[in-house]
């Protein structure tokens, strides 16, 4: 990336769930962890990322001239000097609804915000008040959250939300929670936010497995994701007009995911196009983005174990069925993408950020 573009971003600051958690759950008393092999297999170590390698914020950070790994705030191996250039507050298993975090005893979103406040106090002591204010103001914020609210909470019938709300009302409730969160981080100094919509949650391998009698993706869940995304997008548009200086880029993960699932062989073509387009805007080194020309071979099961239901401790190094080459797969386990797909999502998100947040 050109030095002028990279200089616009002081840090990558991350909120959300397992799609972006770089290791905070390692420090939490929960069963939802991934700090053991074969997680991290292609990264060289199991860091707590729910992937065989890196996550989208890691690739985004590297492309912006920042470190290639965004450190987890609760990782004792890192300190405030590291966090000044990037920090992750996300927690696998959490959601916009506080009740979602309670299902697996993970960090609720309000606590992620509290950690952000604590981080700012530490940053002021480390860098001084003016420098800390600039880091916070000029950071790029990445938010990915919401899947667990439906699949771990509402549709799993464990919290009582299904009795309290219709699914449409629950969508409205979550969008209101998202608006409150965005207003909170805006008050704390955030100005440029990339907010991911829901993916095609009915096409996750675990949901396909549970839908075995009918086969294929769970269309009801995908429809919920589409409806929620429409409401989320409308909320984002309204919020930007009411909060001074706030810029929010909606990231259409649903469309990107479904396009890859329906056209898996085109991933290489998309990488090539993405690299050319991204380089046109930024001068980004092509090897950062364009790393493969091969498409995907499996978009229905995960690479780890059978790929049908395993995640966290069920995805372990003792299982002999784990695939030898994760690059052929969309999913690493039954819920999370491979590093190859995460790189694509990072590229797509960065292009949106360049148009809407960093121009």
């Amino acid at each position: 990336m050109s030095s002028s573009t990279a200089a616009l971003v002081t840090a990558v600051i991350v909120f959300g769930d397992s799609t972006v958690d770089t290791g905070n759950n390692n420090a939490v008393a929960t069963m939802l962890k991934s700090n053991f092999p074969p997680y991290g297999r292609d990264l060289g170590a199991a860091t707590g990322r729910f992937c065989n390698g890196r996550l989208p914020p890691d690739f985004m950070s590297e492309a912006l001239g920042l470190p290639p790994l965004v450190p987890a705030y609760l990782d004792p191996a890192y300190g405030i000097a590291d966090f000044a250039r990037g920090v992750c507050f996300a927690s696998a298993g959490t959601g916009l609804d506080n009740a979602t975090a309670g299902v697996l005893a993970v960090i609720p979103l309000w606590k992620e915000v509290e950690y952000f406040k604590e981080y700012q106090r530490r940053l002021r002591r480390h860098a001084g008040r003016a420098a800390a204010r600039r880091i916070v103001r000029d950071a790029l914020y990445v938010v990915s959250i919401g899947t667990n609210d439906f699949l771990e909470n509402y549709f799993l019938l464990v919290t009582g939300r299904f009795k309290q709300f219709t699914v449409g009302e629950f969508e409205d409730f979550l969008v209101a929670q998202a608006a409150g969160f965005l207003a909170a981080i805006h008050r704390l100094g955030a100005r440029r936010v990339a907010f991911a919509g829901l993916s095609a949650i009915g096409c996750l391998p675990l949901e396909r497995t549970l839908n075995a009698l009918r086969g294929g993706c769970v269309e009801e869940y995908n429809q919920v994701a589409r409806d929620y995304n429409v409401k989320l997008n409308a909320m984002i548009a309204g919020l930007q007009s009411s909060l001074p200086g706030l810029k929010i880029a909606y990231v259409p993960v649903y469309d990107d995911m479904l396009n890859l699932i329906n056209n898996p062989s085109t991933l290489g073509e998309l990488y090539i196009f993405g690299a050319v387009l991204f380089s046109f805007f930024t001068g980004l080194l092509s090897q950062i983005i364009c790393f493969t020309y091969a498409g995907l071979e499996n978009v229905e099961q995960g690479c780890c174990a059978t790929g049908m239901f395993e995640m966290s401790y069920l995805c372990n190094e003792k299982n002999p069925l784990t695939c030898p080459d994760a690059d052929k797969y969309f999913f690493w386990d039954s819920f999370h993408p491979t590093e190859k797909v995460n790189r694509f999502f990072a590229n797509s998100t960065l292009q949106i950020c360049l148009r809407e947040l960093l121009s």
Side-chain angles (χ1 to χ4, degrees):
M1 179 170 296
S2 66
S3 58
S4 59
T5 302
L8 292 173
V9 179
T10 52
V12 172
I13 298 178
V14 184
F15 295 90
D17 57 25
S18 60
T19 54
V20 289
D21 178 3
T22 61
N24 284 308
N25 272 23
N26 298 351
V28 177
T30 177
M31 293 183 62
L32 191 58
K33 296 180 185 287
S34 60
N35 56 339
F36 47 83
Y39 286 100
R41 185 178 72 182
D42 297 308
L43 184 59
T47 61
R49 290 166 171 81
F50 280 79
C51 185
N52 59 303
R54 290 195 280 169
L55 303 181
D58 297 317
F59 291 114
M60 295 171 69
S61 177
E62 182 179 35
L64 290 164
L66 295 165
L69 296 175
V70 178
Y73 186 64
L74 299 183
D75 189 336
Y78 296 94
I80 191 59
D82 305 297
F83 300 145
R85 304 187 71 201
V87 62
C88 175
F89 302 107
S91 176
T94 201
L96 290 160
D97 182 1
N98 289 331
T100 302
V103 175
L104 290 170
V106 299
I107 304 169
L109 187 58
W110 68 263
K111 185 64 175 178
E112 293 186 27
V113 175
E114 289 300 308
Y115 282 138
F116 182 41
K117 294 176 183 177
E118 178 185 87
Y119 160 76
Q120 291 196 36
R121 292 192 292 270
R122 294 174 63 186
L123 193 61
R124 286 193 290 270
R125 290 195 297 268
H126 168 73
R129 188 169 295 273
R133 188 183 305 114
R134 185 180 72 84
I135 290 169
V136 170
R137 181 195 65 213
D138 293 342
L140 175 63
Y141 293 79
V142 179
V143 185
S144 179
I145 196 167
T147 297
N148 298 316
D149 291 302
F150 290 101
L151 299 185
E152 181 187 309
N153 177 346
Y154 191 87
F155 290 124
L156 206 56
L157 313 181
V158 293
T159 66
R161 293 301 197 197
F162 71 101
K163 295 179 180 178
Q164 185 178 355
F165 299 112
T166 66
V167 68
E169 290 169 345
F170 190 58
E171 292 163 7
D172 294 337
F173 170 74
L174 294 179
V175 169
Q177 297 299 110
F181 162 77
L182 287 166
I185 64 170
H186 173 264
R187 286 193 298 272
L188 294 169
R191 290 297 179 267
R192 300 182 294 192
V193 183
F195 201 111
L198 283 185
S199 68
I201 58 177
C203 293
L204 298 176
L206 178 61
E207 303 311 319
R208 287 179 182 268
T209 299
L210 296 174
N211 194 44
L213 291 178
R214 288 186 294 175
C217 300
V218 182
E219 177 53 31
E220 294 92 332
Y221 290 179
N222 283 350
Q223 183 62 57
V224 167
R226 291 193 295 269
D227 293 343
Y228 166 85
N229 287 340
V230 169
K231 295 174 180 179
L232 178 68
N233 214 348
M235 178 275 289
I236 286 172
L239 203 62
Q240 286 190 103
S241 63
S242 64
L243 295 179
L246 180 63
K247 297 168 102 176
I248 312 171
Y250 169 78
V251 182
V253 180
Y254 185 100
D255 298 333
D256 285 343
M257 177 176 172
L258 217 56
N259 285 340
L260 285 184
I261 286 175
N262 292 332
N263 305 284
S265 64
T266 64
L267 181 61
E269 298 169 20
L270 291 168
Y271 270 129
I272 296 167
F273 173 75
V276 171
L277 180 62
F278 201 19
S279 296
F280 175 77
F281 280 111
T282 70
L284 180 69
L285 293 176
S286 61
Q287 63 263 32
I288 293 177
I289 295 297
C290 188
F291 79 109
T292 181
Y293 301 103
L296 300 169
E297 295 181 10
N298 189 321
V299 297
E300 296 185 3
Q301 291 88 33
C303 166
C304 191
T306 68
M308 298 176 68
F309 62 88
E310 296 90 348
M311 178 178 63
S312 190
Y313 287 108
L314 294 178
C315 170
N316 59 70
E317 62 182 341
K318 295 180 181 179
N319 196 304
L321 299 178
T322 297
C323 77
D325 185 3
D327 280 354
K328 295 179 180 179
Y329 285 70
F330 186 108
F331 297 99
W332 165 247
D333 60 17
S334 67
F335 222 77
H336 304 97
T338 57
E339 179 181 68
K340 178 175 180 175
V341 173
N342 281 336
R343 190 186 292 255
F344 167 74
F345 283 144
N347 182 25
S348 178
T349 301
L350 272 169
Q351 291 181 47
I352 292 169
C353 290
L354 285 164
R355 291 195 304 267
E356 300 183 23
L357 304 179
L358 305 178
S359 58

